[in-house]
Amino acid sequence: MTPEKFSPPKRILMGPGPSDVPPSVLEAMSQPLVGHLDPSFVEMMEEIKGMLRKTFLTENEMTFPVSGTGSAGMEFCFANLIEPGDEVVIGVNGVFGTRMTDVARRCGANVVTVEAEWGRIIEPEQIARAVEGGQPKIVALVHAETSTGALTPVEEISRIAHKAGALLLLDAVTSLGGCPVRVDEWGVDAVYSGTQKCLSCPPGLAPVSLSDRAMDVVKSRGVAVQSWYLDVNLLANYWGDGTRVYHHTAPISMGYGLHESLRLVLEEGLEGRWRRHEENHGKLREGLEGLGLGIASQVGHQLWQLNAVNVPEGVDEAAVRGGLLDNHGIEVGPGLGPLKGKVWRVGLMGHSCQTENVAQFLKALEQELGK
Amino acid sequence: MTPEKFSPPKRILMGPGPSDVPPSVLEAMSQPLVGHLDPSFVEMMEEIKGMLRKTFLTENEMTFPVSGTGSAGMEFCFANLIEPGDEVVIGVNGVFGTRMTDVARRCGANVVTVEAEWGRIIEPEQIARAVEGGQPKIVALVHAETSTGALTPVEEISRIAHKAGALLLLDAVTSLGGCPVRVDEWGVDAVYSGTQKCLSCPPGLAPVSLSDRAMDVVKSRGVAVQSWYLDVNLLANYWGDGTRVYHHTAPISMGYGLHESLRLVLEEGLEGRWRRHEENHGKLREGLEGLGLGIASQVGHQLWQLNAVNVPEGVDEAAVRGGLLDNHGIEVGPGLGPLKGKVWRVGLMGHSCQTENVAQFLKALEQELGK
């Protein structure tokens, strides 16, 4: 028996991603295909690169979407920059810092971890102590920890990393498009993001950007990048400026979607988009306070786009989350690791970040808590 | 200045892929998103796994789409099965066999190549000689070489590989859905494909399947899989039967598209689909003969879905190909490597494999050749 046609239920996506996708992006996804070397597609690729540069606030030539999800972007950055035995300092304050250590070790890195309690940020002094006396090639940081809702400031850590002779590698999966990410101003050398968070494109691509300094490191490698699929030397021949050389078949429809979602980001304007995220976060926080609920992450460093909401004593986290989905069509995420069962992760990302959604969520939560 | 909305030109995709995507698959791609752990999506994942098993003709539990294109599927197979120093025998008769050697070496393999002229198949005796006296862990083969249009028979080589104690690894990127691929009957241990060829889904996912024998090899590894993103041990926790554990965010919309395209494959039926590809290949070949044109690949082993058409003496390959695109909206592919400038690669894949397309292509080619 062949399964029936899939018809997705109606949801409001207020979890850790994917976020709701605007109608014009969904429409773009359904356009007929052209070839991945079609002149029209090649031109569109150039536009995507240009719009990504504006979104990352960078002039890095090597700025393009990797054909995989955000985690492929993470692996892209580490695999291209690490050679076996390299020292890599990684800030770990949640799931994605932990993941970085795993990815980096598989690339052969000698990993030094700098840990903070989940929900707290990585402090510059911690990084300063970790690089002292060592020869780190990379300092890696998760900008917005999606697992906890903490936003670690980048500038000071970047200065420390560079002073120690290291590159700064940044996870901007959840931050890009929802709060300031200033790649050039902050001196970020390698950055990756995902499409399904504050860009509000479906998941499947990982925007990345490498500075010239990072590209110099890549070009002076002694051994080949261990991943063929993610080797930037090969990808540069397809995504670069010159004649396109076939590498892999780019995900055409995802490219259509990303093009349209970046257009929407730039039409709104980065500043305006950040403000919208900040304002709705403020409304959510107020509303939560009205219900006697707080946010788990460190005060002063709370993310606008992802809010880890404390589950009150005696309340069944999973039951309330299930009720929100089943009775209200609202998806929120569970806590992970040490926060499992202790928080709901409420996303206000991109197209999902709307005042009406905040109001609807608060009303639904109140109802479910009252049960 | 923000670029304008992208509006793709109308094409008939008769190159090496992507192929034209049926309207209901495009429609599926534009459905609103649900979360990657939404109960409805998890159920759909199970249906995708079931339909992929039917399409691969396998009962392998470990059958699912990798979140990348066909080349990520290739890397998935090699990265999970190879440990540094392993001997791997690879048949090389075109671009994709060559790529396999690169990928396998980056995984640390000691690669033994078995070469055939581009356009010819890999003969069983060649593999028999190559495994003799060695201790190969894997024999790897490209079933349908998209760069040349040759289809290498698998069964005999599979027997030789197993007799030598090796696993058989198969590239079925272009073959799956267009001609028989019998994973269990042929004893294939690791197979990967792409969505954008004879399945006629947009590019972006790589269906893969691993036999229990291959999974035993994975489970008995001494060192971690070098790729976190492609590690089947981690992916099994997300795509497996039990409780879903978050690994990466699955490409939701691509999943919608694959679900619908597999439904169409199974509704048509594999046998009927193969027959359609065979028949239209026959019509194309006849028509080409009428124009005095031949097919470059080895007689008796010519692919139905990808035809490398000899460019007549004195004809400018690129000019004719450009004319087909610009004047008729028909995309065909150029030759690669030693076949560059010498052939057009004419695809009849999935939804593009239609009698009207063959007729339209022949008429357009005749016009362009007459210029």
Side-chain angles (χ1 to χ4, degrees):
Chain A
M1 278 287 294
T2 308
E4 285 187 21
K5 212 165 183 162
F6 181 66
S7 184
K10 208 174 150 26
R11 304 293 192 211
I12 301 173
L13 297 178
M14 298 180 71
S19 58
D20 288 331
V21 174
S24 72
V25 176
L26 291 176
E27 196 196 316
M29 296 284 296
S30 71
Q31 298 267 21
L33 270 69
V34 296
H36 60 107
L37 293 169
D38 195 288
S40 66
F41 190 73
V42 168
E43 201 178 301
M44 199 201 67
M45 289 162 73
E46 286 303 313
E47 292 180 353
I48 286 178
K49 284 159 63 183
M51 289 193 286
L52 278 179
R53 284 189 197 106
K54 286 183 187 169
T55 307
F56 274 126
L57 294 168
T58 184
E59 294 186 356
N60 288 340
E61 167 57 29
M62 204 51 67
T63 304
F64 66 96
V66 166
S67 299
T69 69
S71 298
M74 181 192 287
E75 194 154 307
F76 166 88
C77 289
F78 283 107
N80 278 290
L81 295 173
I82 294 174
E83 294 191 63
D86 283 343
E87 184 182 328
V88 177
V89 173
I90 300 178
V92 179
N93 59 341
V95 166
F96 295 94
T98 308
R99 178 169 302 183
M100 278 180 164
T101 64
D102 192 355
V103 170
R105 285 194 182 109
R106 288 171 193 245
C107 296
N110 174 14
V111 173
V112 177
T113 60
V114 172
E115 301 192 26
E117 199 186 328
W118 286 39
R120 301 196 66 83
I121 63 166
I122 304 293
E123 297 287 351
E125 308 83 68
Q126 294 180 275
I127 299 289
R129 276 196 301 275
V131 300
E132 218 176 58
Q135 284 200 307
K137 187 180 193 180
I138 298 168
V139 170
L141 209 58
V142 177
H143 189 207
E145 239 312 338
T146 325
S147 64
T148 70
L151 183 73
T152 295
V154 177
E155 279 188 277
E156 180 64 20
I157 291 176
S158 176
R159 270 191 292 272
I160 295 166
H162 290 140
K163 216 174 141 192
L167 299 171
L168 188 79
L169 192 163
L170 192 68
D171 176 321
V173 170
T174 289
S175 50
L176 190 70
C179 64
V181 176
R182 303 181 186 276
V183 169
D184 284 1
E185 197 181 314
W186 295 348
V188 177
D189 295 298
V191 61
Y192 60 91
S193 188
T195 46
Q196 78 277 13
K197 310 274 185 178
C198 297
L199 301 180
S200 278
C201 175
L205 294 175
V208 297
S209 185
L210 297 180
S211 71
D212 292 347
R213 193 161 34 190
M215 284 306 293
D216 287 343
V217 168
V218 170
K219 285 173 192 157
S220 64
R221 291 178 64 97
V223 297
V225 176
Q226 67 184 30
S227 169
W228 181 93
Y229 189 63
L230 300 175
D231 185 344
V232 72
N233 300 294
L234 306 176
L235 288 164
N237 292 333
Y238 178 56
W239 278 99
D241 263 344
T243 315
R244 305 285 158 156
V245 178
Y246 164 62
H247 176 257
H248 67 284
T249 303
I252 308 294
S253 308
M254 284 301 308
Y256 291 173
L258 179 58
H259 185 273
E260 179 60 16
S261 68
L262 290 172
R263 265 179 28 78
L264 297 182
V265 168
L266 296 178
E267 276 189 352
E268 180 174 11
L270 289 178
E271 303 271 352
R273 199 170 176 93
W274 300 335
R275 203 176 315 118
R276 174 161 62 82
H277 282 81
E278 184 176 18
E279 284 171 5
N280 282 316
H281 162 75
K283 284 175 189 151
L284 176 68
R285 202 169 45 181
E286 267 176 45
L288 288 169
E289 279 166 13
L291 296 174
L293 298 173
I295 289 176
S297 54
Q298 187 173 342
V299 174
H301 298 286
Q302 293 176 346
L303 264 176
W304 303 331
Q305 54 269 54
L306 194 285
N307 302 271
V309 179
N310 288 317
V311 176
E313 198 77 27
V315 168
D316 181 342
E317 180 276 320
V320 170
R321 185 160 43 83
L324 288 169
L325 190 71
D326 295 339
N327 307 324
H328 310 271
I330 296 174
E331 178 183 86
V332 302
L336 299 173
L339 297 178
K340 193 175 172 184
K342 296 187 182 161
V343 300
W344 297 291
R345 287 185 299 146
V346 182
L348 291 171
M349 299 181 181
H351 194 60
S352 291
C353 179
Q354 297 184 19
T355 307
E356 311 85 86
N357 284 351
V358 173
Q360 209 169 322
F361 164 74
L362 288 167
K363 204 174 138 193
L365 181 61
E366 190 173 7
Q367 278 181 29
E368 291 302 321
L369 285 173
K371 278 181 183 168
Chain B
M1 278 284 294
T2 308
E4 286 187 21
K5 211 166 184 162
F6 181 66
S7 183
K10 205 175 150 26
R11 303 294 193 211
I12 301 174
L13 299 178
M14 297 180 71
S19 58
D20 287 332
V21 174
S24 71
V25 175
L26 291 175
E27 196 197 317
M29 297 284 296
S30 71
Q31 298 268 20
L33 269 69
V34 296
H36 60 106
L37 293 169
D38 194 288
S40 66
F41 191 73
V42 169
E43 200 177 305
M44 198 201 67
M45 289 163 74
E46 287 301 315
E47 292 181 350
I48 286 178
K49 284 161 62 184
M51 289 194 286
L52 278 179
R53 284 190 198 109
K54 286 183 185 168
T55 307
F56 273 127
L57 293 170
T58 185
E59 292 186 358
N60 288 340
E61 167 56 29
M62 204 50 68
T63 304
F64 65 96
V66 166
S67 298
T69 68
S71 297
M74 183 191 286
E75 194 154 308
F76 166 88
C77 289
F78 283 107
N80 279 290
L81 294 174
I82 294 173
E83 294 190 64
D86 284 342
E87 185 182 328
V88 177
V89 173
I90 299 179
V92 179
N93 59 341
V95 166
F96 295 93
T98 308
R99 177 169 301 180
M100 277 180 165
T101 65
D102 193 355
V103 170
R105 284 193 183 110
R106 289 171 193 245
C107 295
N110 174 15
V111 172
V112 177
T113 60
V114 172
E115 301 193 25
E117 201 186 324
W118 287 38
R120 302 196 65 83
I121 63 166
I122 304 292
E123 297 287 350
E125 307 83 70
Q126 294 180 277
I127 298 291
R129 277 194 302 274
V131 300
E132 219 175 59
Q135 284 200 307
K137 187 181 194 178
I138 298 168
V139 170
L141 209 59
V142 177
H143 189 207
E145 238 311 339
T146 324
S147 64
T148 70
L151 183 73
T152 294
V154 177
E155 278 188 277
E156 179 65 19
I157 291 176
S158 177
R159 270 191 293 271
I160 295 166
H162 290 139
K163 215 174 140 191
L167 298 171
L168 188 79
L169 191 164
L170 192 69
D171 175 323
V173 170
T174 289
S175 49
L176 190 71
C179 63
V181 176
R182 301 181 187 278
V183 169
D184 284 1
E185 198 181 313
W186 295 348
V188 177
D189 295 298
V191 60
Y192 60 90
S193 189
T195 45
Q196 77 277 14
K197 310 274 184 176
C198 297
L199 301 180
S200 277
C201 175
L205 295 177
V208 296
S209 185
L210 296 180
S211 70
D212 292 347
R213 195 159 34 190
M215 284 306 294
D216 287 344
V217 168
V218 170
K219 284 173 194 158
S220 63
R221 291 178 64 97
V223 297
V225 175
Q226 66 184 30
S227 168
W228 182 92
Y229 190 62
L230 300 175
D231 185 344
V232 72
N233 300 295
L234 305 176
L235 288 164
N237 292 334
Y238 178 55
W239 278 99
D241 264 344
T243 313
R244 307 283 160 156
V245 179
Y246 164 62
H247 175 256
H248 66 285
T249 303
I252 307 294
S253 307
M254 284 301 307
Y256 291 174
L258 180 57
H259 185 273
E260 178 60 15
S261 67
L262 290 172
R263 265 181 26 80
L264 296 182
V265 168
L266 297 178
E267 276 188 353
E268 181 175 9
L270 290 177
E271 303 271 351
R273 200 170 176 95
W274 299 336
R275 203 176 315 120
R276 174 161 63 82
H277 282 81
E278 184 175 18
E279 284 171 4
N280 283 315
H281 162 74
K283 283 173 188 151
L284 175 68
R285 202 169 46 181
E286 266 176 44
L288 289 169
E289 278 166 14
L291 296 173
L293 298 173
I295 289 176
S297 55
Q298 186 174 342
V299 175
H301 298 286
Q302 293 175 346
L303 264 175
W304 302 332
Q305 55 269 56
L306 194 283
N307 301 271
V309 179
N310 288 316
V311 176
E313 199 76 27
V315 167
D316 183 339
E317 180 275 322
V320 170
R321 186 160 42 84
L324 287 170
L325 190 72
D326 294 339
N327 306 324
H328 310 271
I330 296 175
E331 178 182 86
V332 302
L336 300 173
L339 297 178
K340 195 176 170 184
K342 296 187 181 160
V343 300
W344 298 292
R345 287 185 300 147
V346 182
L348 291 171
M349 299 180 181
H351 193 60
S352 291
C353 180
Q354 296 184 20
T355 308
E356 312 84 85
N357 284 351
V358 173
Q360 209 170 322
F361 165 73
L362 288 167
K363 204 173 138 193
L365 181 61
E366 190 174 6
Q367 278 181 28
E368 291 303 319
L369 285 173
K371 278 180 182 165

